[in-house]
């Protein structure tokens, strides 16, 4: 398994170059980020996240000076609150693009669906940008999208409307999809089916997410989340009533509990969070597609007491199971 926590030296240098352009010396900010003796080696995602925050504070820009206007500190958090209650990923992405268009002015993002593919393109208004600018935009946008849906969104291709950076194979490795440079426009493509994914996060979960940002979006968006995928796959093929304890799961995956916990954490996940996401998905689907009582749904999802399910549901969606069922039925009648 590749180490998802490591950020290539090239991406660190990209961030430092934004400081030099702003007329600032990198040394003090490297020290503040816990990298006082950085020697050009890859760094872990936590260190890169701290450096990102230090640069944002020093320059007044969470987008490394890569937009037509600065993305003032605090904008990322406001973006997350703006999309949290979108209900579905297509609406969340539409809101996120509008937000970023207002904040940055350019590059300007637009979402289009055609031939079963979702395409997000970036227009520059005639101004060329670096690969680092486009990569940062994709990390912000898709890092939030993956978190909202509780799963990785596999990309089909990524196009850059700029020349390929020299000696930077890391751009090809990072996305886990074919990457093209010198394209007519910067574009990111994925299966349109992802747009129908429900938003499974709550305001309480968002508070935790923001405490760990931006380091967590670096691992959530990374293409190679092997451990999380393995855990989700195992749970999806097992009745929730029979879901294993963490120790039992580690035996099934042939790793120690400590190693499994560390690997999940490196991917921005925890076992309880994955179980909660799958139960939230299951609850939403059962309420919309069956006439099972709330107590029966609670039992199917592995809750011994309906009251525990009620509390969890309120935490996930901010409303009761009955309210969600009523609203889905109204939607079907008017649709």
């Amino acid at each position: 398994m590749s180490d998802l926590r490591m950020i290539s030296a090239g991406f660190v240098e990209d961030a430092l170059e934004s400081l030099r352009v702003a007329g600032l010396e990198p040394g003090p900010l490297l020290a503040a980020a816990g990298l006082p003796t950085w020697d050009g080696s890859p760094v872990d995602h936590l260190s890169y996240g701290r450096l990102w925050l230090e640069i944002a504070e020093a320059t007044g820009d969470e987008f490394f000076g890569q937009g037509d206007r600065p993305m003032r500190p605090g904008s990322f958090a406001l973006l997350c609150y703006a999309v949290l209650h979108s209900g579905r990923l297509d609406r969340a992405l539409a809101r996120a693009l509008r937000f970023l268009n207002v904040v940055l002015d350019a590059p300007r993002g637009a979402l289009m669906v055609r031939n079963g593919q979702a395409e997000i393109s970036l227009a520059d208004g005639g101004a060329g940008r670096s690969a680092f600018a486009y990569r940062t935009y994709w990390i912000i946008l898709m890092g939030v999208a993956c978190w909202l849906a509780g799963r990785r969104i596999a990309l089909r291709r990524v196009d850059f409307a700029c020349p390929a950076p020299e000696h930077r194979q890391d751009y090809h490795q990072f996305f886990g999809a074919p990457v093209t440079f010198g394209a007519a426009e910067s574009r990111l493509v994925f299966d349109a089916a992802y747009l129908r994914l429900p938003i499974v996060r709550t305001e309480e979960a968002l508070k935790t997410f923001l405490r760990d940002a931006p380091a967590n979006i670096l691992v959530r968006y990374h293409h190679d989340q092997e451990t999380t995928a393995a855990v989700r796959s195992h749970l999806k093929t097992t009745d929730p009533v029979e879901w294993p304890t963490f120790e039992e799961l580690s035996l099934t995956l042939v790793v120690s509990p400590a190693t499994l916990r560390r690997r999940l954490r490196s991917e921005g996940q925890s076992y309880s969070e994955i179980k909660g996401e799958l139960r939230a998905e299951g609850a939403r689907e059962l309420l919309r597609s069956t006439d099972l009582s709330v107590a029966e749904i609670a039992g199917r999802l592995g809750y011994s007491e309906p009251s525990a399910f009620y509390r969890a549901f309120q935490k996930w969606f901010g409303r009761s199971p009955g309210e969600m069922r009523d609203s889905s039925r109204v939607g079907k009648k008017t649709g």
Side-chain angles (χ1 to χ4, degrees), residues 40-255:
S41 301
V43 302
D44 63 70
H45 71 292
L46 296 174
S47 296
Y48 192 90
R50 288 194 298 269
L51 180 61
W52 191 333
L53 290 174
E54 292 294 337
I55 292 175
E57 183 65 27
T59 63
D61 191 350
E62 294 181 335
F63 197 60
F64 296 101
Q66 302 298 308
D68 273 14
R69 293 192 298 201
M71 185 173 174
R72 300 296 186 192
S75 297
F76 179 78
L78 288 175
L79 166 63
C80 292
Y81 278 105
V83 302
L84 181 62
H85 298 297
S86 303
R88 220 170 69 161
L89 193 61
D90 54 353
R91 292 190 288 271
L93 283 170
R95 289 184 187 180
L97 290 169
R98 287 199 299 271
F99 182 97
L100 291 171
N101 288 345
V102 169
V103 170
L104 298 174
D105 199 22
R108 298 183 66 82
L111 171 65
M112 176 183 294
V113 179
R114 57 185 174 190
N115 301 322
Q117 295 189 148
E119 301 181 4
I120 299 174
S121 60
L122 297 180
D124 286 311
R129 295 180 201 277
S130 67
F132 178 58
Y134 299 126
R135 171 186 175 270
T136 303
Y137 192 103
W138 299 136
I139 287 175
I140 292 172
L141 181 68
M142 300 307 292
V144 173
C146 292
W147 178 77
L148 288 170
R151 59 183 295 184
R152 179 179 66 87
I153 297 170
L155 304 181
R156 289 190 173 182
R157 64 177 297 164
V158 183
D159 295 339
F160 286 83
C162 62
E166 292 185 8
H167 313 300
R168 296 295 302 277
Q169 189 62 25
D170 48 1
Y171 272 91
H172 293 271
Q173 296 166 345
F174 183 82
F175 294 97
V179 173
T180 301
F181 287 95
E185 64 179 358
S186 291
R187 183 176 58 157
L188 180 147
V189 181
F190 54 92
D191 194 315
Y194 284 111
L195 296 175
R196 296 192 294 272
L197 289 174
I199 304 305
V200 299
R201 303 298 188 172
T202 63
E203 290 206 12
E204 193 62 33
L206 178 57
K207 293 175 184 176
T208 302
F209 176 70
L210 290 175
R211 279 200 299 270
D212 296 329
N216 50 10
I217 62 174
L218 294 166
V219 292
R220 283 188 178 280
Y221 177 47
H222 198 292
H223 75 275
D224 189 15
Q225 290 189 314
E226 297 174 6
T227 302
T228 299
V231 172
R232 286 181 64 94
S233 177
H234 180 74
L235 294 183
K236 279 190 168 184
T237 57
T238 307
D239 191 310
V241 177
E242 299 176 357
W243 278 354
T245 64
F246 190 76
E247 288 69 23
E248 292 169 341
L249 177 65
S250 66
L251 287 174
T252 300
L253 299 180
V254 199
V255 294

Side-chain angles (χ1 to χ4, degrees), residues 282-298 309-310 313 317 319-333:
R284 187 196 293 264
E285 179 60 29
L286 289 171
L287 283 168
R288 289 180 172 177
S289 63
T290 76
D291 290 320
L292 293 172
S293 69
V294 173
E296 289 172 322
I297 291 174
F309 172 66
Y310 269 100
F313 196 94
F317 302 110
R319 52 180 169 167
S320 71
E323 289 171 333
M324 175 172 282
R325 173 168 273 169
D326 290 343
S327 65
S328 67
R329 286 174 175 169
V330 169
K332 287 179 181 178
K333 289 178 182 179

Side-chain angles (χ1 to χ4, degrees), residues 297-321:
I297 291 174
R300 284 201 180 190
L301 295 176
Y303 288 92
S304 57
E305 295 291 337
S307 58
F309 172 66
Y310 269 100
R311 289 194 297 272
F313 196 94
Q314 287 278 5
K315 211 171 168 184
W316 296 329
F317 302 110
R319 52 180 169 167
S320 71

